[in-house]
């Protein structure tokens, strides 16, 4: 399954179209990997309880020739300061917001779903995206504890999108969304050995 775990979005999308595996099987593969390895890395705050339901619907659409977009059937994770209108809270890493369930998706989550992505999980982060304190610890939150660098568990995972960087680096998903004000994507990307893209503001 290495080709699945470390496959690019393009390669996975092509394999799904060719029916080499289903979106449900792909989702199962990533969740199994999370269950095995995230006890050490602590990158994931919540797995989406609707992930399999979404994957099954996308498989049904694909069987009918209805491809929603370039991410059809691809599991993606989002940092837990981004609203999702499902059964996962949006906590910003704080226990103060553990019961905060958004009524609607953030704009980028809407776009992900329209492209056919499966929102697989919400990722840990530096609490309040590092606006907690001038001495805050990268990758630590009261909701999720300390995220850990998969290459060396005693080294920093970077922040504030620590969980997203760790998740991508650990093979928990093909792509993960972060947010950045000053280094919160590019720093964990560098620390975890993955590519991070900070888009131009407004785009």
């Amino acid at each position: 399954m290495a080709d699945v775990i470390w496959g690019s979005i393009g390669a996975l999308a092509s394999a799904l179209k060719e029916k080499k595996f289903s979106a449900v099987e792909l989702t199962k593969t990533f969740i199994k990997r999370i269950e095995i390895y995230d006890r050490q890395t602590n990158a994931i705050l919540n797995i989406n309880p609707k992930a399999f339901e979404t994957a099954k619907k996308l498989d049904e659409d694909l069987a009918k020739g209805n491809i929603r977009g370039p991410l059809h059937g691809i599991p993606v994770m989002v940092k837990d300061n981004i609203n999702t209108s499902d059964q996962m809270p949006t906590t910003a890493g704080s226990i103060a917001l553990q019961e905060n369930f958004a009524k609607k998706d953030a704009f980028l989550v809407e776009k992900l779903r329209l492209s056919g992505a499966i929102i697989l999980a919400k990722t840990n982060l530096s609490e309040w995206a590092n606006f907690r304190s001038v001495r805050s610890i990268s990758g630590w939150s009261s909701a999720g504890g300390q995220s850990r660098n998969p290459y060396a568990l005693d080294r920093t995972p970077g922040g504030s999108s620590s969980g997203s960087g760790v998740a991508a680096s650990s093979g928990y998903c093909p792509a993960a969304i972060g947010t950045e004000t000053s280094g919160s994507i590019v720093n964990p990307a560098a620390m975890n050995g993955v590519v991070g893209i900070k888009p131009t503001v407004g785009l």
Side-chain angles (χ1 to χ4, degrees), residues 22-24 53-66 68 72:
S22 66
V24 168
E53 179 185 326
T54 303
K56 184 179 178 184
K57 179 67 170 70
L58 289 164
D59 282 335
E60 290 168 355
D61 285 348
L62 186 59
K64 297 172 186 173
N66 300 327
R68 296 192 191 182
H72 191 106

Side-chain angles (χ1 to χ4, degrees), residues 37-164:
Y37 294 108
D38 197 48
R39 298 170 202 172
Q40 297 178 67
T41 57
N42 210 30
I44 311 303
L45 283 179
N46 286 290
I47 292 175
N48 192 345
K50 291 192 171 183
F52 286 117
E53 179 185 326
T54 303
K56 184 179 178 184
K57 179 67 170 70
L58 289 164
D59 282 335
E60 290 168 355
D61 285 348
L62 186 59
K64 297 172 186 173
N66 300 327
I67 298 174
R68 296 192 191 182
L71 297 177
H72 191 106
I74 303 295
V76 175
M77 295 185 183
V78 297
K79 184 177 177 180
D80 198 29
N81 62 346
I82 299 170
N83 283 344
T84 57
S85 63
D86 41 36
Q87 295 170 359
M88 297 183 290
T90 301
T91 70
S94 174
I95 57 174
L97 294 178
Q98 282 186 317
E99 300 301 320
N100 177 46
F101 291 89
K103 292 181 180 177
K104 66 177 187 175
D105 288 332
F107 179 73
L108 75 85
V109 175
E110 278 182 35
K111 291 296 187 184
L112 286 169
R113 293 196 208 270
L114 285 170
S115 292
I118 299 163
I119 306 302
L120 183 61
K122 303 289 280 287
T123 58
N124 201 1
L125 64 152
S126 306
E127 188 166 334
W128 302 116
N130 248 354
F131 284 96
R132 184 174 59 86
S133 163
V134 294
R135 297 178 182 175
S136 61
I137 299 168
S138 285
W140 183 89
S141 73
S142 60
Q146 180 65 52
S147 292
R148 299 192 179 279
N149 190 312
Y151 289 98
L153 297 173
D154 61 343
R155 300 299 178 94
T156 182
S160 66
S161 304
S162 52
S164 295

Side-chain angles (χ1 to χ4, degrees), residues 8 18 38 43 51 60 70 97 162 172 182-183 192 202:
S8 68
E18 293 164 11
D38 197 48
E60 290 168 355
L97 294 178
S162 52
Y172 300 159
S182 59
N192 294 287

